[in-house]
Every structure is written in C-alpha cells, then in structure tokens.
Amino acid sequence: MTTAAQREQFEQLLERHRGIVLKIAHAYCRDTEDRRDLAQEIAAQLWKALPAWDRGRPFSTWMYRVALNVAISHARSAGDRQHLPLDEAGVEPSHDADAARESDDGIRALYACIERLDPLNRALMLLYLDERSQREIGEILGLSETNVATKIGRLKTRIRNELGE
C-alpha cells in the first residue's frame, strides 16, 4: 500500500473513531488547549504506530491502547494535575428538573471518585463505563482478563464505599 493510500485509510479510521480520542483527552486534561494538544499527540502517535497495528484485530481496540498509553504518559509527566474537573464533565440535562439534579449529583460524585484514581485505574474505569468487555479491556491495557475482573470489582467496591452506598 502506498503512503498516500495509508494516510487516507488512517484518516478515515481516525475520523470514524475520533470519539475515542476525544473521550480520553477529556478524561485526562483540564482545559481546552491541553485537550487539543493531547488529542493531537495521540493522533501523531497513532500514525507513527500504524505499521504495528495487526489488521486482524479491531482498529478501535488498538487505538484505545495507544491513546491511553499516550494519555497516561502525559498525565504522569504533568503530575496528573490536568484531569477533567467536575464542572466540565459534560453531564446532560434531564427534562425533569429534580431527576436531573439527582442524576447530575450522582454523576458528579462518580466523576469525583474517578478523578482521584491513578491513571491506569482511571483508564480501566473509562473502558468499563464505555461497556468494553473484560477481554477487550485486558487487551487494551495489557492485563489478563482475570486481573481486569479483579480490578473492576475492587474499583466498584471502592467507589460504592466512597459514595456511601
């Protein structure tokens, strides 16, 4: 495949799955400029790593892995102080004001718990909340399926305890 054809294929795949990049950038960066920078860095690293993508596996799984590795490295180098603040969590309003307030409070409390997690566990929860299978989460994060199940169980317990359930 020519470089022009590779670039076109890459751009199409990146556009199709850009929500992954945006979601990760929002989870790991505080302000708009930092999110843009991280998204751009993720795209650059995806392009560099494209020859390593096993075309027999889903692009989105590989993309998550690369993007999360870039985001985790970015968070560690920034002292993990640029994660998403609660007021930018993007909570959707509900039609019922009381239900919306309860829902917003619950979601904000959940985000507060997730904010306090280390970068790897934050990635794990991001994938879990994105309804990825334990097998896929393991592939993305380089963990065994059993380890993923154990970590998710522990994180759910920790979050329940923090939320005072």
Side-chain angles (χ1 to χ4, degrees):
M1 186 181 295
T2 67
T3 304
Q6 283 179 327
R7 181 176 286 279
E8 185 176 331
Q9 179 190 29
F10 174 74
E11 288 172 359
Q12 289 172 354
L13 288 167
L14 187 60
E15 181 60 31
R16 187 176 319 140
H17 300 287
R18 71 178 238 203
I20 293 170
V21 173
L22 297 176
K23 185 182 299 181
I24 291 171
H26 278 273
Y28 285 86
C29 290
R30 180 170 295 254
D31 68 36
T32 305
E33 282 302 311
D34 288 339
R35 287 192 296 262
R36 282 188 196 132
D37 290 346
L38 180 56
Q40 190 171 19
E41 179 63 22
I42 289 169
Q45 292 302 320
L46 285 165
W47 174 250
K48 285 180 188 177
L50 188 61
W53 170 41
D54 175 1
R55 283 159 173 58
R57 295 180 164 240
F59 181 79
S60 62
T61 300
W62 174 81
M63 182 183 205
Y64 252 121
R65 184 175 201 149
V66 172
L68 284 168
N69 284 333
V70 172
I72 289 168
S73 294
H74 175 80
R76 285 182 180 147
S77 69
D80 196 28
R81 62 185 178 275
Q82 296 183 351
H83 52 275
L84 179 65
L86 295 177
D87 59 351
E88 295 179 28
V91 176
E92 302 256 338
S94 171
H95 294 291
D96 176 19
D98 290 333
R101 231 181 337 274
E102 277 183 35
S103 175
D104 286 356
D105 290 344
I107 290 171
R108 288 183 197 283
L110 176 61
Y111 272 98
C113 290
I114 293 171
E115 273 188 66
R116 291 187 291 273
L117 298 174
D118 62 88
L120 177 63
N121 283 323
R122 194 178 312 153
L124 183 71
M125 286 307 297
L126 179 70
L127 292 165
Y128 175 75
L129 293 173
D130 201 26
E131 298 179 353
R132 299 291 174 152
S133 70
Q134 291 177 358
R135 190 179 94 240
E136 189 174 6
I137 293 171
E139 287 176 18
I140 292 167
L141 298 177
L143 302 171
S144 70
E145 202 170 330
T146 304
N147 197 350
V148 169
T150 301
K151 285 181 174 292
I152 288 172
R154 287 179 182 160
L155 286 169
K156 286 165 71 174
T157 300
R158 177 178 168 184
I159 289 171
R160 273 190 213 107
N161 289 339
E162 286 187 32
L163 294 176
E165 196 174 79

